[in-house]
Short mmCIF file of all heavy atoms in Angstrom, two decimals:
data_model
loop_
_atom_site.label_atom_id
_atom_site.label_comp_id
_atom_site.label_asym_id
_atom_site.label_seq_id
_atom_site.Cartn_x
_atom_site.Cartn_y
_atom_site.Cartn_z
N PHE A 1367 -25.07 27.96 20.54
CA PHE A 1367 -24.90 28.19 21.96
C PHE A 1367 -24.35 29.60 22.20
O PHE A 1367 -23.69 30.18 21.33
CB PHE A 1367 -23.94 27.16 22.57
CG PHE A 1367 -24.44 25.74 22.48
CD1 PHE A 1367 -23.96 24.88 21.50
CD2 PHE A 1367 -25.38 25.26 23.37
CE1 PHE A 1367 -24.42 23.57 21.41
CE2 PHE A 1367 -25.85 23.95 23.29
CZ PHE A 1367 -25.35 23.11 22.32
N LEU A 1368 -24.60 30.12 23.39
CA LEU A 1368 -24.01 31.40 23.76
C LEU A 1368 -22.48 31.27 23.73
O LEU A 1368 -21.93 30.25 24.14
CB LEU A 1368 -24.46 31.83 25.16
CG LEU A 1368 -25.92 32.27 25.29
CD1 LEU A 1368 -26.26 32.52 26.76
CD2 LEU A 1368 -26.18 33.55 24.49
N GLY A 1369 -21.81 32.29 23.24
CA GLY A 1369 -20.37 32.22 23.11
C GLY A 1369 -19.96 31.67 21.77
O GLY A 1369 -20.61 31.92 20.75
N SER A 1370 -18.90 30.86 21.76
CA SER A 1370 -18.31 30.44 20.49
C SER A 1370 -18.80 29.09 19.97
O SER A 1370 -18.62 28.77 18.80
CB SER A 1370 -16.78 30.37 20.65
OG SER A 1370 -16.43 29.41 21.64
N ARG A 1371 -19.45 28.27 20.81
CA ARG A 1371 -19.77 26.89 20.41
C ARG A 1371 -20.95 26.84 19.43
O ARG A 1371 -21.97 27.49 19.62
CB ARG A 1371 -20.08 26.05 21.65
CG ARG A 1371 -20.43 24.58 21.39
CD ARG A 1371 -19.36 23.83 20.59
NE ARG A 1371 -18.07 23.83 21.20
CZ ARG A 1371 -17.57 22.85 21.94
NH1 ARG A 1371 -18.29 21.77 22.16
NH2 ARG A 1371 -16.35 22.93 22.44
N LEU A 1372 -20.76 26.02 18.38
CA LEU A 1372 -21.79 25.80 17.37
C LEU A 1372 -21.84 24.31 17.07
O LEU A 1372 -20.81 23.67 16.89
CB LEU A 1372 -21.47 26.57 16.10
CG LEU A 1372 -22.49 26.50 14.95
CD1 LEU A 1372 -23.80 27.15 15.37
CD2 LEU A 1372 -21.94 27.18 13.71
N LEU A 1373 -23.05 23.75 17.03
CA LEU A 1373 -23.25 22.33 16.77
C LEU A 1373 -24.30 22.18 15.68
O LEU A 1373 -25.34 22.84 15.73
CB LEU A 1373 -23.72 21.62 18.04
CG LEU A 1373 -24.27 20.20 17.93
CD1 LEU A 1373 -23.16 19.21 17.59
CD2 LEU A 1373 -24.96 19.79 19.23
N PHE A 1374 -24.04 21.33 14.67
CA PHE A 1374 -25.07 21.08 13.68
C PHE A 1374 -25.02 19.62 13.25
O PHE A 1374 -24.04 18.91 13.49
CB PHE A 1374 -24.95 22.03 12.48
CG PHE A 1374 -23.71 21.88 11.65
CD1 PHE A 1374 -23.69 21.09 10.52
CD2 PHE A 1374 -22.54 22.56 12.00
CE1 PHE A 1374 -22.55 20.96 9.75
CE2 PHE A 1374 -21.39 22.44 11.24
CZ PHE A 1374 -21.40 21.64 10.10
N PHE A 1375 -26.12 19.19 12.61
CA PHE A 1375 -26.28 17.79 12.23
C PHE A 1375 -26.39 17.67 10.72
O PHE A 1375 -27.17 18.39 10.09
CB PHE A 1375 -27.51 17.20 12.91
CG PHE A 1375 -27.38 17.15 14.41
CD1 PHE A 1375 -27.75 18.24 15.18
CD2 PHE A 1375 -26.88 16.03 15.04
CE1 PHE A 1375 -27.63 18.21 16.55
CE2 PHE A 1375 -26.75 15.99 16.42
CZ PHE A 1375 -27.12 17.09 17.18
N LEU A 1376 -25.62 16.74 10.18
CA LEU A 1376 -25.54 16.55 8.74
C LEU A 1376 -25.92 15.11 8.41
O LEU A 1376 -25.40 14.16 9.01
CB LEU A 1376 -24.11 16.83 8.26
CG LEU A 1376 -23.80 16.52 6.80
CD1 LEU A 1376 -24.44 17.56 5.89
CD2 LEU A 1376 -22.28 16.49 6.58
N ARG A 1377 -26.82 14.95 7.44
CA ARG A 1377 -27.18 13.61 6.96
C ARG A 1377 -26.46 13.36 5.64
O ARG A 1377 -26.48 14.20 4.75
CB ARG A 1377 -28.69 13.48 6.77
CG ARG A 1377 -29.13 12.15 6.18
CD ARG A 1377 -30.58 11.86 6.45
NE ARG A 1377 -30.84 11.60 7.87
CZ ARG A 1377 -31.91 10.97 8.34
NH1 ARG A 1377 -32.83 10.54 7.50
NH2 ARG A 1377 -32.07 10.75 9.63
N HIS A 1378 -25.80 12.20 5.53
CA HIS A 1378 -25.08 11.88 4.29
C HIS A 1378 -25.31 10.43 3.92
O HIS A 1378 -25.68 9.61 4.76
CB HIS A 1378 -23.58 12.16 4.45
CG HIS A 1378 -22.87 11.20 5.35
ND1 HIS A 1378 -22.33 10.02 4.89
CD2 HIS A 1378 -22.60 11.24 6.67
CE1 HIS A 1378 -21.76 9.37 5.90
NE2 HIS A 1378 -21.92 10.09 6.99
N ASP A 1379 -25.09 10.12 2.64
CA ASP A 1379 -25.28 8.74 2.18
C ASP A 1379 -24.01 8.10 1.67
O ASP A 1379 -24.03 6.96 1.21
CB ASP A 1379 -26.36 8.68 1.10
CG ASP A 1379 -26.06 9.59 -0.08
OD1 ASP A 1379 -24.98 10.21 -0.08
OD2 ASP A 1379 -26.90 9.68 -0.99
N ASN A 1380 -22.89 8.83 1.75
CA ASN A 1380 -21.60 8.21 1.40
C ASN A 1380 -20.47 9.04 2.00
O ASN A 1380 -20.62 10.24 2.26
CB ASN A 1380 -21.42 8.05 -0.12
CG ASN A 1380 -21.39 9.38 -0.84
OD1 ASN A 1380 -20.40 10.11 -0.78
ND2 ASN A 1380 -22.49 9.73 -1.52
N GLN A 1381 -19.34 8.39 2.22
CA GLN A 1381 -18.22 9.01 2.91
C GLN A 1381 -17.65 10.19 2.12
O GLN A 1381 -17.23 11.20 2.71
CB GLN A 1381 -17.12 7.97 3.16
CG GLN A 1381 -15.98 8.45 4.03
CD GLN A 1381 -16.41 8.77 5.45
OE1 GLN A 1381 -17.43 8.28 5.91
NE2 GLN A 1381 -15.63 9.58 6.14
N ARG A 1382 -17.66 10.10 0.81
CA ARG A 1382 -17.10 11.19 0.00
C ARG A 1382 -17.91 12.47 0.17
O ARG A 1382 -17.34 13.56 0.29
CB ARG A 1382 -17.06 10.77 -1.47
CG ARG A 1382 -16.44 11.83 -2.37
CD ARG A 1382 -16.33 11.34 -3.80
NE ARG A 1382 -15.74 12.37 -4.66
CZ ARG A 1382 -15.55 12.22 -5.96
NH1 ARG A 1382 -15.88 11.09 -6.56
NH2 ARG A 1382 -15.01 13.19 -6.66
N PHE A 1383 -19.25 12.33 0.18
CA PHE A 1383 -20.09 13.50 0.37
C PHE A 1383 -19.82 14.12 1.74
O PHE A 1383 -19.69 15.35 1.87
CB PHE A 1383 -21.56 13.10 0.27
CG PHE A 1383 -22.52 14.22 0.58
CD1 PHE A 1383 -22.83 15.18 -0.37
CD2 PHE A 1383 -23.10 14.32 1.84
CE1 PHE A 1383 -23.71 16.22 -0.07
CE2 PHE A 1383 -23.98 15.34 2.15
CZ PHE A 1383 -24.28 16.30 1.19
N PHE A 1384 -19.71 13.28 2.78
CA PHE A 1384 -19.43 13.79 4.12
C PHE A 1384 -18.11 14.54 4.17
O PHE A 1384 -18.01 15.64 4.72
CB PHE A 1384 -19.43 12.63 5.12
CG PHE A 1384 -18.85 13.01 6.46
CD1 PHE A 1384 -19.49 13.94 7.27
CD2 PHE A 1384 -17.67 12.45 6.90
CE1 PHE A 1384 -18.96 14.31 8.49
CE2 PHE A 1384 -17.13 12.79 8.13
CZ PHE A 1384 -17.78 13.73 8.93
N GLU A 1385 -17.06 13.95 3.59
CA GLU A 1385 -15.74 14.59 3.62
C GLU A 1385 -15.75 15.91 2.86
O GLU A 1385 -15.09 16.87 3.27
CB GLU A 1385 -14.70 13.63 3.05
CG GLU A 1385 -14.44 12.42 3.94
CD GLU A 1385 -13.52 11.40 3.30
OE1 GLU A 1385 -13.15 11.60 2.11
OE2 GLU A 1385 -13.18 10.41 3.97
N THR A 1386 -16.50 15.97 1.77
CA THR A 1386 -16.60 17.22 1.00
C THR A 1386 -17.28 18.31 1.82
O THR A 1386 -16.83 19.46 1.85
CB THR A 1386 -17.39 16.98 -0.30
OG1 THR A 1386 -16.70 16.02 -1.09
CG2 THR A 1386 -17.54 18.27 -1.08
N GLN A 1387 -18.38 17.95 2.49
CA GLN A 1387 -19.09 18.92 3.32
C GLN A 1387 -18.25 19.37 4.51
O GLN A 1387 -18.26 20.54 4.90
CB GLN A 1387 -20.42 18.34 3.80
CG GLN A 1387 -21.41 18.00 2.70
CD GLN A 1387 -21.83 19.24 1.91
OE1 GLN A 1387 -21.08 19.75 1.09
NE2 GLN A 1387 -23.03 19.71 2.17
N LEU A 1388 -17.50 18.44 5.08
CA LEU A 1388 -16.64 18.77 6.21
C LEU A 1388 -15.54 19.74 5.78
O LEU A 1388 -15.23 20.70 6.49
CB LEU A 1388 -16.04 17.49 6.79
CG LEU A 1388 -15.31 17.63 8.13
CD1 LEU A 1388 -16.28 18.09 9.22
CD2 LEU A 1388 -14.67 16.30 8.52
N GLU A 1389 -14.96 19.50 4.61
CA GLU A 1389 -13.94 20.41 4.10
C GLU A 1389 -14.52 21.79 3.82
O GLU A 1389 -13.87 22.82 4.05
CB GLU A 1389 -13.33 19.82 2.83
CG GLU A 1389 -12.24 20.69 2.19
CD GLU A 1389 -11.06 20.96 3.10
OE1 GLU A 1389 -10.79 20.15 4.01
OE2 GLU A 1389 -10.41 22.02 2.92
N LEU A 1390 -15.76 21.82 3.34
CA LEU A 1390 -16.42 23.10 3.10
C LEU A 1390 -16.58 23.88 4.40
O LEU A 1390 -16.33 25.09 4.45
CB LEU A 1390 -17.80 22.86 2.47
CG LEU A 1390 -18.66 24.09 2.20
CD1 LEU A 1390 -17.94 25.06 1.26
CD2 LEU A 1390 -20.00 23.68 1.62
N VAL A 1391 -16.95 23.19 5.47
CA VAL A 1391 -17.09 23.85 6.78
C VAL A 1391 -15.74 24.39 7.24
O VAL A 1391 -15.64 25.50 7.77
CB VAL A 1391 -17.66 22.88 7.82
CG1 VAL A 1391 -17.68 23.52 9.20
CG2 VAL A 1391 -19.06 22.45 7.43
N ARG A 1392 -14.69 23.61 7.04
CA ARG A 1392 -13.35 24.08 7.43
C ARG A 1392 -12.99 25.38 6.70
O ARG A 1392 -12.44 26.31 7.30
CB ARG A 1392 -12.31 23.01 7.10
CG ARG A 1392 -12.32 21.81 8.01
CD ARG A 1392 -11.05 20.98 7.86
NE ARG A 1392 -11.02 19.85 8.78
CZ ARG A 1392 -11.35 18.61 8.45
NH1 ARG A 1392 -11.70 18.34 7.21
NH2 ARG A 1392 -11.32 17.64 9.35
N ARG A 1393 -13.31 25.44 5.43
CA ARG A 1393 -12.93 26.62 4.65
C ARG A 1393 -13.74 27.85 5.01
O ARG A 1393 -13.19 28.95 5.13
CB ARG A 1393 -13.08 26.32 3.15
CG ARG A 1393 -12.10 25.26 2.65
CD ARG A 1393 -12.21 25.06 1.15
NE ARG A 1393 -11.30 24.01 0.68
CZ ARG A 1393 -11.13 23.72 -0.60
NH1 ARG A 1393 -11.80 24.37 -1.54
NH2 ARG A 1393 -10.28 22.76 -0.95
N ILE A 1394 -15.05 27.68 5.18
CA ILE A 1394 -15.88 28.86 5.44
C ILE A 1394 -15.81 29.31 6.90
O ILE A 1394 -16.03 30.49 7.20
CB ILE A 1394 -17.35 28.63 5.04
CG1 ILE A 1394 -17.99 27.50 5.85
CG2 ILE A 1394 -17.45 28.34 3.54
CD1 ILE A 1394 -19.44 27.26 5.52
N SER A 1395 -15.47 28.39 7.81
CA SER A 1395 -15.42 28.75 9.23
C SER A 1395 -14.03 29.22 9.66
O SER A 1395 -13.90 30.01 10.59
CB SER A 1395 -15.81 27.56 10.10
OG SER A 1395 -14.82 26.53 10.04
N LYS A 1396 -13.00 28.70 8.96
CA LYS A 1396 -11.61 28.97 9.34
C LYS A 1396 -11.34 28.58 10.79
O LYS A 1396 -10.49 29.14 11.47
CB LYS A 1396 -11.25 30.45 9.12
CG LYS A 1396 -11.35 30.88 7.66
CD LYS A 1396 -10.96 32.34 7.50
CE LYS A 1396 -10.91 32.76 6.04
NZ LYS A 1396 -12.20 32.55 5.33
N ALA A 1397 -12.12 27.59 11.29
CA ALA A 1397 -11.95 27.12 12.66
C ALA A 1397 -10.67 26.31 12.79
O ALA A 1397 -10.29 25.56 11.88
CB ALA A 1397 -13.14 26.27 13.08
N GLN A 1398 -9.99 26.46 13.91
CA GLN A 1398 -8.76 25.73 14.13
C GLN A 1398 -9.00 24.24 14.35
O GLN A 1398 -8.18 23.40 14.00
CB GLN A 1398 -8.01 26.32 15.34
CG GLN A 1398 -7.52 27.74 15.11
CD GLN A 1398 -6.71 28.25 16.27
OE1 GLN A 1398 -6.69 27.67 17.34
NE2 GLN A 1398 -6.03 29.38 16.07
N GLN A 1399 -10.14 23.92 14.93
CA GLN A 1399 -10.45 22.52 15.20
C GLN A 1399 -11.93 22.26 14.98
O GLN A 1399 -12.78 23.03 15.44
CB GLN A 1399 -10.07 22.15 16.64
CG GLN A 1399 -10.28 20.69 16.96
CD GLN A 1399 -9.80 20.34 18.37
OE1 GLN A 1399 -9.37 21.20 19.13
NE2 GLN A 1399 -9.86 19.06 18.72
N ILE A 1400 -12.24 21.18 14.27
CA ILE A 1400 -13.62 20.75 14.05
C ILE A 1400 -13.72 19.29 14.49
O ILE A 1400 -12.91 18.46 14.09
CB ILE A 1400 -14.03 20.88 12.57
CG1 ILE A 1400 -13.97 22.35 12.13
CG2 ILE A 1400 -15.43 20.33 12.35
CD1 ILE A 1400 -14.29 22.56 10.66
N GLU A 1401 -14.69 19.01 15.33
CA GLU A 1401 -14.89 17.64 15.81
C GLU A 1401 -16.21 17.10 15.28
O GLU A 1401 -17.14 17.86 14.98
CB GLU A 1401 -14.86 17.60 17.33
CG GLU A 1401 -13.53 18.04 17.92
CD GLU A 1401 -13.46 17.80 19.41
OE1 GLU A 1401 -13.26 16.63 19.82
OE2 GLU A 1401 -13.63 18.79 20.17
N PHE A 1402 -16.29 15.79 15.17
CA PHE A 1402 -17.51 15.18 14.66
C PHE A 1402 -17.65 13.76 15.21
O PHE A 1402 -16.67 13.12 15.61
CB PHE A 1402 -17.52 15.16 13.13
CG PHE A 1402 -16.31 14.53 12.50
CD1 PHE A 1402 -16.29 13.17 12.20
CD2 PHE A 1402 -15.17 15.29 12.21
CE1 PHE A 1402 -15.18 12.59 11.62
CE2 PHE A 1402 -14.06 14.71 11.62
CZ PHE A 1402 -14.05 13.36 11.33
N ALA A 1403 -18.89 13.29 15.24
CA ALA A 1403 -19.18 11.94 15.72
C ALA A 1403 -20.52 11.50 15.15
O ALA A 1403 -21.36 12.32 14.79
CB ALA A 1403 -19.19 11.89 17.25
N LYS A 1404 -20.74 10.19 15.10
CA LYS A 1404 -21.98 9.65 14.54
C LYS A 1404 -23.12 9.69 15.55
O LYS A 1404 -22.92 9.49 16.75
CB LYS A 1404 -21.77 8.19 14.10
CG LYS A 1404 -20.88 8.03 12.88
CD LYS A 1404 -20.80 6.56 12.49
CE LYS A 1404 -19.90 6.35 11.28
NZ LYS A 1404 -19.82 4.92 10.91
N VAL A 1405 -24.31 9.92 15.04
CA VAL A 1405 -25.53 9.78 15.84
C VAL A 1405 -25.91 8.30 15.83
O VAL A 1405 -26.01 7.70 14.77
CB VAL A 1405 -26.67 10.65 15.26
CG1 VAL A 1405 -27.95 10.45 16.07
CG2 VAL A 1405 -26.25 12.12 15.24
N PRO A 1406 -26.13 7.70 17.00
CA PRO A 1406 -26.31 6.23 17.07
C PRO A 1406 -27.72 5.75 16.78
O PRO A 1406 -28.43 5.25 17.65
CB PRO A 1406 -25.90 5.91 18.51
CG PRO A 1406 -26.33 7.13 19.27
CD PRO A 1406 -26.07 8.30 18.34
N TRP A 1407 -28.14 5.83 15.53
CA TRP A 1407 -29.42 5.26 15.15
C TRP A 1407 -29.32 3.74 15.18
O TRP A 1407 -28.26 3.18 14.90
CB TRP A 1407 -29.81 5.72 13.75
CG TRP A 1407 -30.11 7.17 13.64
CD1 TRP A 1407 -29.32 8.14 13.11
CD2 TRP A 1407 -31.31 7.84 14.08
NE1 TRP A 1407 -29.94 9.37 13.18
CE2 TRP A 1407 -31.16 9.20 13.78
CE3 TRP A 1407 -32.48 7.40 14.70
CZ2 TRP A 1407 -32.15 10.14 14.08
CZ3 TRP A 1407 -33.46 8.32 14.99
CH2 TRP A 1407 -33.28 9.68 14.68
N PRO A 1408 -30.42 3.05 15.49
CA PRO A 1408 -30.37 1.58 15.49
C PRO A 1408 -30.24 1.02 14.08
O PRO A 1408 -30.54 1.71 13.10
CB PRO A 1408 -31.73 1.18 16.11
CG PRO A 1408 -32.62 2.35 15.82
CD PRO A 1408 -31.73 3.57 15.88
N GLU A 1409 -29.80 -0.21 13.99
CA GLU A 1409 -29.72 -0.87 12.69
C GLU A 1409 -31.13 -0.99 12.10
O GLU A 1409 -32.11 -1.17 12.82
CB GLU A 1409 -29.09 -2.25 12.83
CG GLU A 1409 -27.61 -2.21 13.16
CD GLU A 1409 -26.80 -1.44 12.14
OE1 GLU A 1409 -27.03 -1.64 10.92
OE2 GLU A 1409 -25.95 -0.62 12.54
N CYS A 1410 -31.21 -0.90 10.79
CA CYS A 1410 -32.51 -0.95 10.12
C CYS A 1410 -32.35 -1.65 8.79
O CYS A 1410 -31.66 -1.15 7.89
CB CYS A 1410 -33.05 0.47 9.93
SG CYS A 1410 -34.66 0.54 9.16
N THR A 1411 -32.98 -2.81 8.66
CA THR A 1411 -32.81 -3.62 7.44
C THR A 1411 -34.12 -3.87 6.70
O THR A 1411 -34.16 -4.66 5.77
CB THR A 1411 -32.18 -4.98 7.80
OG1 THR A 1411 -33.02 -5.66 8.74
CG2 THR A 1411 -30.79 -4.80 8.41
#
């Protein structure tokens, strides 16, 4: 987005991988605050 806002989407298959990628973003961005939320895909069995 114009200005400071940046949004991206990450696909993961386990919580540890997600937390590792999130920590990587914190380190390379040096952002004071990072927010995240799930994309609401329907259940699929």
Side-chain angles (χ1 to χ4, degrees):
F1367 297 101
L1368 288 174
S1370 61
R1371 180 56 58 98
L1372 183 65
L1373 167 70
F1374 65 95
F1375 295 87
L1376 173 74
R1377 176 160 291 200
H1378 71 88
D1379 56 3
N1380 63 75
Q1381 188 64 22
R1382 182 176 180 181
F1383 175 81
F1384 167 65
E1385 291 174 355
T1386 299
Q1387 297 298 76
L1388 191 63
E1389 180 59 27
L1390 178 59
V1391 175
R1392 287 195 177 99
R1393 294 184 182 186
I1394 62 179
S1395 69
K1396 298 181 174 58
Q1398 294 184 347
Q1399 184 176 4
I1400 298 177
E1401 297 188 77
F1402 54 91
K1404 290 183 181 180
V1405 178
W1407 293 104
E1409 290 303 315
C1410 182
T1411 58

